[in-house]
Amino acid sequence: MSPQLPPVAPAVTAELVAALSPRLRKRLDSGIAKLADRPVVRDGAVVRIAVDDDTDLELHAPDGAVRGADAVRCGCLLAPDCLHRAAAASLAPVAEDTDSAAPQDRSATEEDTAQAPETATPEQRAAVRAVQLATSAVLEAGTDGAGAVLQAELLRAAHTARLAGLHRAAATAVSVVTALRAARAADPAYHLTDLAAGLYDVLSVAHRLPSASGGELTALRGTARQPYRPDGSLRLYGLFSEPVLTASGYAGAVTWTADAGGRLYQVSDVAPGGAGRAVGAADRTVRIGDTALTHRELARAGLAVSGATVSPTGRLGAGAGVRAVRAPGAGWHEEPVARLWAEPVPDQIARALAGGRDLLFLDVTLTGTAAEAAGDCLLAEGAGVPLRLTAAHDDPALPHRDNLRLLSAAPGTRLRVVARLTPAPHPRAQLLAAEHPTRADTRLDIGLDRLQGADLPTTTAAPSGSVPVPVSASASACDEAPIHLLRRRVHQAVSGGRPVLALPGDTRADARRLRRSGLTTAAELLTDLHSAAADRAHDVFGRLRPTDPDRFARAWLAAAHYTRELDRTLCLAAWTS
């Protein structure tokens, strides 16, 4: 996906792809690949792609995004029915859908919630069914088979869902398309687990919404955007900053702060861009009040805010009535900030797994490094358990992995850190910030500040290359928990689609192993998943009937739900054992 192209609204991409003839649809993916290699030039609100030496394709984005099909113009002889327009829209990032014609396109308020129907409307049922069918088709095809045509169908369903007021289903469906594009483009930011989580969320909402009511239905509908509510005056203390770099073409930084009671607030600066913007955003002035603090400075200072507005997740608004001035900060070992580390780790884990904030405040002792498929991770002891600290981003422009490699060369070093929980059968989290290994009262933003060999304790030399140490037997045992037999099939379905699980093979051995471990339900789900994948009935003439994507999607959803809940249970047990 080219970060130079402006984002395109989902409805635009769906419209352009739908207008293609069947012959051109078959050529769409190859057309996207060819267009991705062509020169791109930006001229104000217009982006031009040189289709060939004599033909240009233009994307007009006056507000930063392409909002109509007529804003994609091609100079070739076949335009407007050419392949180039649909290819450009499919290549560009997906824009936030902001069609003002939608009656539900407002921030949620108590009045909206009170007036909302207590059960799903016929329009919503039809819209969520369309999302379900499009997502099931993507799952059946897998990442390799889910090309631009299937993606456009899912974008069309997402747009329809948003018009029906189903903002959660729409947003998650768009995130699935973004992850699919990243996977097919071999984007380093792509993670199979993220795509699997997105597919699970879409199918779960589609499964539950038709029969939901009351508060559950409200949650499943979601809101168009997060409402900001007045929160009076705030005295905040900076904690750390982290870069933001998404597969959908957005980048920037978020700075985390806390008030005297330990509640967390964020100040963000995220906009279209790539790794360069993520690196530079930390030195931009925060967009709140009249303060001249940069994100990097705020992470180590404080802020006094009056007329504050805050979203439900703690994001600070930057409205005209907000006033903010610099104030003294507090060290991680000083009150009131130190109370974040005083909270028992089991309580932090339980809150994160229950859907609360996923930041962990830990005191750890570094022990070494371990080799994993995704790259080396940092081993540490914390809260009485061995844990793995991983990189939050793999982009080489960001220093996450380099910093982890250097810290792994300082075994025995005690550090106070901030990490983001990664639910897994063993203690695992992404390292976001840490104390400096040799400079007291100095903090490191792991994704923004680069450690040097000279920063390590004098008894430790910086490694010329990372030499992973053996992983403890307990950690290995966690990795080999029998549930991985089911989880592996869930992920294989996402990457390879139904055909991969339909291949001839004997699953009885895996099912027996799961049963011997007391995971009888997992064994039954594994068997049913393979059965649904291989279910191809024949008609009276011996011809194969079409597959049943619904059955396969239901079997996959059940298996994914089981592994998700069991992982959460095992995660809590691992951190509290």
Side-chain angles (χ1 to χ4, degrees), residues 187-189 191 241-247 250-254 273-282 296 391-405 431-432 445-451:
D187 190 327
H191 295 285
S241 289
E242 63 172 322
V244 175
L245 184 59
T246 72
Y250 288 83
V254 172
R277 192 180 195 284
V279 173
R296 195 184 302 272
H393 289 283
D394 290 322
D395 194 293
L398 301 175
H400 291 91
R401 288 218 172 271
D402 290 341
N403 286 339
L404 261 65
R405 179 181 61 84
L431 184 61
L432 304 177
D445 296 327
I446 298 299
L448 298 171
D449 302 322
R450 285 193 178 273
L451 274 170

Side-chain angles (χ1 to χ4, degrees), residues 5-21 24-25 27-36 38 47-52 55-60 66-93 148 152 155 181:
L5 299 182
V8 177
V12 174
T13 304
E15 179 181 344
L16 292 175
V17 173
L20 294 177
S21 66
L24 290 181
R25 286 192 184 191
R27 296 171 48 192
L28 181 55
D29 289 318
S30 61
I32 293 171
K34 291 178 182 178
L35 206 62
R38 302 304 299 164
V47 175
R48 293 185 178 87
I49 306 175
V51 176
D52 54 40
T55 305
D56 284 345
L57 186 149
E58 296 181 349
L59 290 86
H60 293 252
V66 176
R67 301 293 181 188
D70 58 351
V72 184
R73 307 167 189 172
C74 185
C76 76
L77 295 176
L78 297 178
D81 300 322
C82 63
L83 180 70
H84 305 130
R85 298 172 69 223
S90 301
L91 179 64
L155 289 178
R181 292 180 178 180

Side-chain angles (χ1 to χ4, degrees), residues 160-176:
T160 302
R162 196 195 64 77
L163 292 178
L166 304 179
H167 304 290
R168 178 175 170 182
T172 313
V174 168
S175 73
V176 167

